[in-house]
Amino acid sequence: MDPLTIAVPERVCQCRCYLDNGRLVGTGELTLANWTRATADVTGAGISGTISTPTRGNFESAQATFATRVYTPELMSAFAPGVHDLEFRAVIQGLNSMSQAVEQNFSAFMRVLSRGITSGTISNSNEMGCSAEFEVLQETRSLNGIVLCRFDKINNIAEIRASDGTMINETLNINTFLGV
């Protein structure tokens, strides 16, 4: 059985967040960053209008959010100035192609800058609904210890695992093409 195949992912059982050197920030909901290539407009002879083409190796702002139920000192420390390391770990439950229950370990390691914290509201017998928002500088996503993708805006790295299991590094492909 392919270790990366879940035919029908059903749910994330638990998502835990760890900050700088493994301090547990809490459990909650992670909104992963969207990695969108920056675009450039191309016009000229033979083009009717304008084409916005993606620029390989360059990404727009990538933001992630971690929402939790309770305001904690650890969550507040994520707001401190500077670069922070965040690691999110989750268990994904699902069914494989033979309708057997499967659990896989998902992790996302991020190097981030804090953008802000929403403190939530305080009300009797209710959760606070706090969240922290981050600008993601580097991110590695893994499933069962196998890296699925790695993005690094500082060092201009974008690696994505292809369906045959090989990692495609788009920056190396550009440098090879340019003869660098």
Side-chain angles (χ1 to χ4, degrees):
M1 178 174 69
D2 181 359
L4 293 177
T5 302
I6 293 180
V8 182
E10 292 179 348
R11 69 179 58 97
V12 173
C13 296
Q14 192 70 257
C15 178
R16 297 182 187 272
C17 175
Y18 299 86
L19 174 71
D20 298 331
N21 301 319
R23 291 182 295 164
L24 179 64
V25 173
T27 60
E29 178 180 315
L30 168 66
T31 302
L32 290 166
N34 293 325
W35 289 94
T36 306
R37 288 181 179 89
T39 60
D41 290 342
V42 177
T43 60
I47 298 174
S48 177
T50 304
I51 299 173
S52 290
T53 60
T55 307
R56 290 176 51 167
N58 292 304
F59 294 95
E60 294 179 357
S61 175
Q63 298 174 22
T65 304
F66 180 67
T68 186
R69 286 179 235 124
V70 182
Y71 189 84
T72 64
E74 291 81 10
L75 182 66
M76 190 60 195
S77 68
F79 189 59
V83 176
H84 296 282
D85 291 336
L86 291 177
E87 185 173 0
F88 299 93
R89 299 179 193 161
V91 175
I92 299 174
Q93 208 175 39
L95 296 174
N96 65 15
S97 57
M98 298 175 359
S99 297
Q100 298 169 327
V102 177
E103 287 186 353
Q104 295 192 322
N105 300 316
F106 173 82
S107 69
F109 174 81
M110 300 177 195
R111 185 151 286 150
V112 301
L113 292 169
S114 177
R115 292 179 54 90
I117 284 191
T118 302
S119 300
T121 56
I122 297 176
S123 176
N124 290 339
S125 304
N126 288 319
E127 57 191 43
M128 291 175 70
C130 327
S131 64
E133 187 175 312
F134 305 99
E135 178 68 25
V136 181
L137 305 174
Q138 300 170 337
E139 181 180 10
T140 301
R141 295 179 190 170
S142 302
L143 192 61
N144 287 339
I146 298 170
V147 174
L148 302 177
C149 58
R150 187 166 71 110
F151 300 100
D152 184 338
K153 290 182 2 180
I154 305 300
N155 297 305
N156 196 24
I157 295 171
E159 294 180 315
I160 300 165
R161 183 169 298 281
S163 59
D164 65 0
T166 60
M167 291 297 281
I168 298 171
N169 184 326
E170 75 174 32
T171 308
L172 289 179
N173 292 343
I174 292 170
N175 291 340
T176 302
F177 175 75
L178 295 175
V180 176

